[in-house]
Amino acid sequence: MSSNELEEKPLTVEKRLTLTKFEIYEKPHIIVDTEKCEKCEIKPCIKACPAGLYSLDENGKLLFIYEGCLECGTCRVICPYNAVSWSYPPGGHGVWYKFG
Amino acid sequence: MSEKFDVVIIGGGPAGLSTAYFLAKAGFEPVVIERGQEPGAKNVFGGRIYSYVLDKHFPGWRKEAPVERWVRREKLSMSCGDDTITIDFAKKKPVSDDEFDSFTAFLSKFVAWMSEKAEEQGAMVLSGSKVDDVVFDEKGIASGVFADGERIDADYIVIAEGVNTLLSEKLGIRVKPPLETTALGVKEVVRLGKEEINKRFGTEDWEGVAHFFIGDPLKGIAGGGFLYTMGEYVTIGAVIRLSEVGKKEITMKDIAEQLRLHPAIYEYVKGGVLMEYSAHLTREGGLMDVLEKPYGPGYLVVGDAAGYILNTGFTIRGVDLAIESGRLAAETINKAHNENKRDEEALSHYKKLVEESVIGRNLREYRNLPKFLEKDLLYGDLPEIMCELFNTAYTTDEQVTRIYPVLMNSLKSHGIGWFTLLKLLMEARRSI
């Protein structure tokens, strides 16, 4: 049985992201000004990112990673404090959809 | 040393490649600059393209384009709890292939095909290169771009950057999209094999299903789930407005899972192999999202970047409008070039063409729909009321139950009176 054969239980987003192809660039294409995040109560990026790349550390500080970014642009649009500087990765890098 | 082309097109999606195809056909030397590793690498959509625009301009496409299945079955499901009501509309079997008005596809593969068509006509498609800036000359006319630090000059620039309007915002012609009209789509592709799909959906090899879901799989939020059958695959996904994400208890990374594990959908994909997970933004505001001025000195804006996306409630149309806008952009550039003009006034002809075209006519006709579709009533109350009705109609025991009193009770318990119904009907009359 293939490891990504579907069963009647959830697959973690991390698992699902391993199926999508990436050519990760060495430098991040997302920069977050986490100081601005401190005054943000709702932090909608955490719930909105379809790849689950935003989270909180044990002190409630915003953490994010750029590897696994699906390049949808949601975090940039949804951030109420414009704390997310978001551009696409350089040409030829980032997500590589085969079934988009 | 910089290179010079007749036209630089920023972005190799459906709109950009259509522009290139029609320009090259008219004898121009356009170059498409695409940031993806190959054409289609960054494109994501639900799964359906409408045929009419291809019939008009791409002779022979039905035999050569990467069509997955021709859509003959249209299904709509409303779920509450584990109950589901489905309407299954099977169009009559056509006499020939030419009659199908839509087909399922992977946009990545379709865009790769469009890229070949543009190259056949003589366009150049440069993949793996990202445009960071548009360059203006001393007269303020767009005259080139910077791509990966290299300057490429052109007489005309076409912005086909897609839904994330980063360059347009830099140029000051767009603002960051509002949450109310922006939606996030997530998609999973599941391999099942042709025969298994035919067995599960009751279809033949060529026959496709387009299925739309509202209600419980998405916890009653304003948005929809979709399922399309491809040749060997099934794609499932959801489109949710960003303004809903903050309001309700949903997490976008889990929404595709919720949909997949709902009984109405799980039975179709059970045992399949998950191939890819993807996400993409779209605009749902219709006319509200359209760029007021899709032209400027030396440049035009096409496709999603210009807001040419039509939300009809059941489906979001973009590819056909993108192709059409590319054609109109090419026509405009051809005309301006013949008059030896690059100024804003000459290029404003594009706006006129768009307004008279299938793009403008549809967006105007559907202008009230996006507001109507914001009603929570449609996603939470409506499926629940329908399920209560169907449960009554199709449950028989010693109880005496007629449908009408159940409907009245159900409406009452949802706080829906005659006035609300009448108002809804009046609004529907203007929007749907």
Side-chain angles (χ1 to χ4, degrees), chain A residues 4 20 50 71 82 92-93 100, chain B residues 35 42 107 169 176 272 274 277:
Chain A
N4 47 339
T20 305
E71 293 169 37
N82 292 322
H93 290 85
Chain B
R35 67 186 185 90
K42 305 289 185 181
L107 192 55
E169 289 172 39
K176 197 169 104 167
L274 191 58
Y277 174 56

Side-chain angles (χ1 to χ4, degrees), chain B residues 72-359:
Chain B
R72 184 179 160 240
R73 298 263 300 282
E74 307 275 355
K75 295 168 87 170
L76 168 65
S77 287
M78 281 190 272
S79 297
C80 32
D82 289 350
D83 292 343
T84 301
I85 302 163
T86 301
I87 297 167
D88 185 345
F89 174 50
K91 290 186 182 171
K92 74 172 190 326
K93 277 200 181 157
V95 182
S96 82
D97 277 6
D98 305 345
E99 292 174 38
F100 296 104
D101 74 331
S102 73
F103 58 98
T104 62
F106 291 111
L107 192 55
S108 299
K109 297 182 201 301
F110 184 78
V111 160
W113 174 75
M114 279 193 73
S115 176
E116 282 170 31
K117 297 306 286 180
E119 283 177 317
E120 267 173 32
Q121 295 294 334
M124 190 170 158
V125 180
L126 189 65
S127 297
S129 185
K130 186 178 74 152
V131 172
D132 294 306
D133 279 299
V134 177
V135 181
F136 290 82
D137 67 13
E138 67 281 357
K139 288 183 206 140
I141 295 176
S143 58
V145 299
F146 270 109
D148 290 335
E150 199 181 331
R151 183 166 166 169
I152 302 171
D153 289 326
D155 291 332
Y156 302 94
I157 309 294
V158 175
I159 301 174
E161 61 177 333
V163 70
N164 279 306
T165 49
L166 301 175
L167 277 173
S168 306
E169 289 172 39
K170 229 176 184 177
L171 293 182
I173 57 173
R174 267 255 189 234
V175 294
K176 197 169 104 167
L179 302 185
E180 288 70 27
T181 64
T182 307
L184 172 60
V186 293
K187 181 171 103 170
E188 288 186 351
V189 177
V190 180
R191 192 180 70 220
L192 273 177
K194 195 166 261 177
E195 277 172 20
E196 192 58 31
I197 291 173
N198 291 341
K199 206 167 91 192
R200 290 185 191 191
F201 290 87
T203 50
E204 295 179 42
D205 284 357
W206 53 266
E207 194 177 9
V209 178
H211 199 154
F212 181 71
F213 302 86
I214 57 169
D216 210 56
L218 301 172
K219 308 288 175 213
I221 49 183
F226 62 80
L227 178 155
Y228 293 99
T229 58
M230 306 285 158
E232 306 268 348
Y233 311 86
V234 170
T235 66
I236 54 174
V239 181
I240 311 286
R241 290 208 190 173
L242 292 188
S243 50
E244 292 284 304
V245 177
K247 277 194 278 180
K248 308 222 169 86
E249 270 316 304
I250 50 156
T251 311
M252 285 310 297
K253 73 177 164 64
D254 298 328
I255 206 103
E257 293 257 304
Q258 273 174 26
L259 199 74
R260 165 158 42 80
L261 295 173
H262 190 274
I265 294 158
Y266 183 69
E267 60 175 321
Y268 291 126
V269 296
K270 187 179 177 178
V273 176
L274 191 58
M275 304 299 291
E276 190 177 84
Y277 174 56
S278 52
H280 200 84
L281 285 183
T282 186
R283 301 293 290 267
E284 294 196 329
L287 207 54
M288 286 185 274
D289 288 327
V290 168
L291 195 57
E292 177 63 28
K293 241 179 85 182
Y295 60 90
Y299 70 85
L300 294 171
V301 189
V302 294
D304 278 10
Y308 302 146
I309 304 170
L310 183 70
N311 180 4
T312 67
F314 298 103
T315 181
I316 297 173
R317 269 170 64 182
V319 176
D320 55 327
L321 307 187
I323 293 173
E324 189 64 6
S325 76
R327 184 178 75 82
L328 301 175
E331 192 181 319
T332 305
I333 288 172
N334 198 5
K335 184 171 181 285
H337 181 261
N338 286 339
E339 295 162 359
N340 206 11
K341 284 179 180 163
R342 293 165 64 210
D343 60 282
E344 189 169 301
E345 210 217 314
L347 294 177
S348 71
H349 181 62
Y350 171 62
K351 184 178 175 173
K352 217 178 104 218
L353 291 179
V354 168
E355 283 176 350
E356 289 163 0
S357 75
V358 61
I359 306 168

Side-chain angles (χ1 to χ4, degrees), chain A residues 40-45 75-83, chain B residues 176:
Chain A
C40 178
E41 281 177 23
I42 49 174
K43 296 185 177 58
C45 51
C75 54
R76 180 185 84 95
V77 176
I78 212 161
C79 178
Y81 290 96
N82 292 322
Chain B
K176 197 169 104 167

